[in-house]
Amino acid sequence: MSTSLHAVSAAPVGDFALRCSGLQRYLGQGDGRVHVLKGVSFEARRGQVYAIVGPSGCGKSTLLYLLGLLDQPDGGDIEINGQRMSNRDDFARTAARGAHIGFVFQFHFLMLEFTALENVMMPMRKLGRLTAPEMEARARMLLDAVGLGAKTHRLGTQLSGGEQQRVAVARALANQPSIILADEPTGNLDVKNSTLVFDLLTRLAKDNGQAVILVTHNPEIAQRCDVTRPMRDGLFV
Amino acid sequence: MSPNFRIAFRFLTAKKRAMLMSLSCTVLGVGLFIVTQATTSGFEEFFVKTLLGTDGAMRIEDRIQDTLRSMEVAGSPDFQIRQREGVKYIEGVEEPQVIMDTVRSFANVRGVSAVLRGNVQVSSSFKTEDAQVFGIKLEDHRFVSELERKITTPEGLGKFQESAGSALVGRVLADRLQLTVNESIVINVRGESRRYVVAAIYETGVRDIDKTRIYIDLAEARSLLRKPTGATFLQISLHDPKRARQEAAHMEEVLRHSVRPWQEREKEWLSVFRALSVSSAITVTVFTLIASLAMFNTLAMIVLEKTKDIAILRSMGYERRDITRIFLWQAAIVLAIGAIVGGIFGAAVSWGVSLVPLPINTLFKTEHFIVALSPWHFVQAITTAVVMVMIASLVPARRAARLEPGDIVRGTAQ
């Protein structure tokens, strides 16, 4: 496998990397049980950037976690690269996450005991496609691409919020996934860093033919995406 | 280095204080287990060595005779009456020389000595005491006991060897009779008195022996006790005393005499040592239990603090079993360090304990704590720690693996 950032496109732009239909999700129990997603359907093509927007509590993040196979729907189907995943066991869903999906979370979620380089190598180590020197070379290249080539050996605690989020972007790209899911990736950053991280995410994803789905409250970010899908009360409007 | 191990190591080193607490409990558990086992088995081994050096590995005591009824059954194959065969024990060994010659043909036998025993009264110029005369042939008895090394007086066994009218007296009896070497004693049996010279004083360390036994020449004992033939028992030493049970069973079958191995002869004391060993092991296992609870606590804390990291790992493709392994690796790292340091600590403390003065002069004689370190003590200590700590670690490890990444991320994000 090449370590080039530009040699990834597994399929031509336009193919569906992800589809879901009729997704239902309830959260809570008893009287507190809430119907969060009420039959949501969605498709994401490679090379396209999608923004899911809407008020707090409308089900954006819940949808994102379902699409990322971090959670199980109560109804409906999810397909990742043509493979139906919603009815698969935990082992298959975990394997699919490792191979096809990269996550960027709002609160960076770096592993703080590890350096930036080690954080980026973490998904590669699990997938085991590359040798150790290849992993390190790819991690360095990704950190270079996000502008952190000089800070590869800094621990998570020694990086600013914007830098941590850029490391998280590099980590999401580590296994060359076909889908990048980002939950408020700029929600915790100032304007300058928000723009930086968004530009980085969309540029790298487009260069690699990856589908990027991001949840955001930021209208400026949403406007710059290829497709914006507003949500309300558990449905796209 | 596997990714799981790498993550486990970093998680653990991030919780230094809790990790050190678990580690120190593991070190104490392993170390003290080794110390207690080394000391109890040290005393046990010393006791066994003392009694082997005094009374030999085996004794042939009584002749076995089939009962008349069973002989009839054995001699009359036409009568197939099924009933339990009876045996009768005839006290003493009637033909000691024949038995001794046969016993010497056993490969494991180092030596065999005929002993004639009798109850006597012994008097010095100071007082009279009850005692037992042991008639021995010194050249035979040297091979079945450490009597020669137990002589405490500088004269050694020279005089005893030369003179049939001399005796070896135990240290306690000599003190009670206020005897020294070259003084004379009078031995009285059934109204007949004979005078002997104290050739040497011995000290086995076993008070009961040193208080009662007087060794004299076998021929002299035959004359004194009026037993011109036979022996009370034959004392046997073995090259490998641990095989005494098997050898005894074999000899009993061949010689048709009752043969008692040392394990049977001293089984009461041996069971006391065994009980002490088990009880001290149980006591110090409390440290290992504390170690396992500390490990449980440490891992449970790490699980609580690392839920986000668990979610990240799961989102990156790490499976539930990877999460379990990451936490079990943490326990394994603590155990590995604890086992090594605990082993060194146990060996060092055992050595230190062996220097502690402890005068004992009853069951055996020693001036210090006796320690016998064995690889088995290390194996037992480490196995106990591994089993307890790993069981305690399974609970938080499995709990971590059961966490749903979606729940964790949702809880943080919303």
Side-chain angles (χ1 to χ4, degrees), chain A residues 25 27 61-62 65 70-71 90-91 94 97-98 101 103 105-107 109-115 118-119 122-123 125-126 155 171 175 183, chain B residues 1 3-4 6-8 10-11 14 306 308-309 311-322 404-410 412-414:
Chain A
R25 184 67 173 119
L27 291 177
S61 294
T62 302
Y65 305 146
L70 289 174
D71 196 4
D90 184 72
F91 185 80
T94 305
R97 275 202 301 271
I101 302 170
F103 288 93
F105 299 105
Q106 181 180 0
F107 294 99
F109 275 12
L110 289 191
M111 295 179 73
L112 299 177
E113 293 85 8
F114 292 83
T115 63
E118 287 168 330
N119 265 285
M122 200 83 72
R125 283 201 171 111
K126 175 56 193 166
L155 291 174
R171 187 181 64 189
N175 281 343
D183 187 10
Chain B
M1 195 190 291
N4 295 343
R6 192 187 298 264
I7 295 166
R10 289 291 175 84
F11 277 4
K306 297 292 179 189
K308 285 182 193 173
D309 295 47
I312 296 167
L313 290 168
R314 298 279 284 132
S315 75
M316 290 189 296
Y318 283 75
E319 298 156 25
R320 288 188 197 280
R321 63 183 176 187
D322 290 315
E404 286 294 341
D407 292 344
I408 301 168
V409 179
R410 190 183 301 112
T412 312
Q414 288 185 350

Side-chain angles (χ1 to χ4, degrees), chain A residues 170-205:
Chain A
R171 187 181 64 189
L173 295 166
N175 281 343
Q176 303 171 338
S178 50
I179 303 156
I180 304 284
L181 301 174
D183 187 10
E184 304 266 12
T186 60
N188 227 18
L189 303 177
D190 57 28
V191 176
K192 185 185 163 196
N193 271 311
S194 292
T195 309
L196 189 70
V197 167
F198 178 77
D199 288 348
L200 195 63
L201 192 61
T202 51
R203 178 173 58 82
L204 296 178

Side-chain angles (χ1 to χ4, degrees), chain B residues 60-273:
Chain B
I60 298 176
E61 291 178 321
D62 305 321
R63 185 162 64 84
I64 299 171
Q65 190 182 55
D66 293 328
T67 59
L68 192 59
R69 180 176 298 193
S70 60
M71 282 175 72
E72 280 173 357
V73 172
S76 308
D78 296 340
F79 289 90
Q80 297 294 321
I81 303 166
R82 284 179 169 270
Q83 67 180 81
R84 197 175 169 191
E85 189 177 8
V87 288
K88 192 166 122 184
Y89 291 93
I90 297 168
E91 201 175 320
V93 181
E94 286 177 2
E95 300 285 349
Q97 198 53 51
V98 176
I99 301 291
M100 283 167 75
D101 290 343
T102 313
V103 165
R104 285 192 180 106
S105 66
F106 283 79
N108 195 17
V109 170
R110 196 164 67 91
V112 54
S113 169
V115 179
L116 188 65
R117 184 180 57 202
N119 294 328
V120 298
Q121 279 198 316
V122 58
S123 306
S124 67
S125 56
F126 179 66
K127 67 186 285 198
T128 300
E129 289 278 343
D130 288 331
Q132 284 192 318
V133 157
F134 277 59
I136 57 168
K137 217 172 181 178
L138 189 59
E139 56 267 35
D140 288 339
H141 212 74
R142 275 182 164 146
F143 289 100
V144 300
S145 80
E146 293 183 337
L147 190 59
E148 200 165 359
R149 286 203 283 159
K150 304 293 181 185
I151 301 297
T152 57
T153 45
E155 293 79 3
L157 284 171
K159 191 164 187 178
F160 182 71
Q161 207 164 4
E162 288 163 12
S163 166
S166 63
L168 302 175
V169 181
R171 165 57 61 197
V172 179
L173 184 61
D175 289 346
R176 288 167 85 127
L177 295 173
Q178 296 193 354
L179 286 171
T180 55
V181 174
N182 292 327
E183 287 186 343
S184 62
I185 52 171
V186 174
I187 295 178
N188 193 313
V189 192
R190 290 189 289 270
E192 186 188 333
S193 297
R194 289 195 191 181
R195 186 172 293 276
Y196 295 90
V197 174
V198 177
I201 293 169
Y202 67 86
E203 186 172 23
T204 63
V206 184
R207 189 174 173 80
D208 280 348
I209 293 174
D210 296 343
K211 194 175 78 176
T212 54
R213 284 189 196 176
I214 299 170
Y215 288 95
I216 61 173
D217 181 66
L218 180 60
E220 179 61 29
R222 287 193 189 290
S223 165
L224 177 71
L225 301 171
R226 294 180 192 160
K227 287 182 182 169
T229 59
T232 311
F233 59 86
L234 301 183
Q235 185 164 320
I236 299 167
S237 65
L238 298 175
H239 293 292
D240 180 8
K242 286 178 186 161
R243 285 190 48 79
R245 278 185 197 282
Q246 294 92 315
E247 298 288 357
H250 189 193
M251 281 185 194
E252 201 163 284
E253 203 173 297
V254 172
L255 303 169
R256 302 300 294 157
H257 276 70
S258 153
V259 186
R260 288 186 79 195
W262 61 272
Q263 295 98 325
E264 195 184 314
R265 194 175 67 216
E266 309 293 343
K267 66 181 172 192
E268 287 84 5
W269 279 114
L270 291 175
S271 61
V272 168
F273 281 114

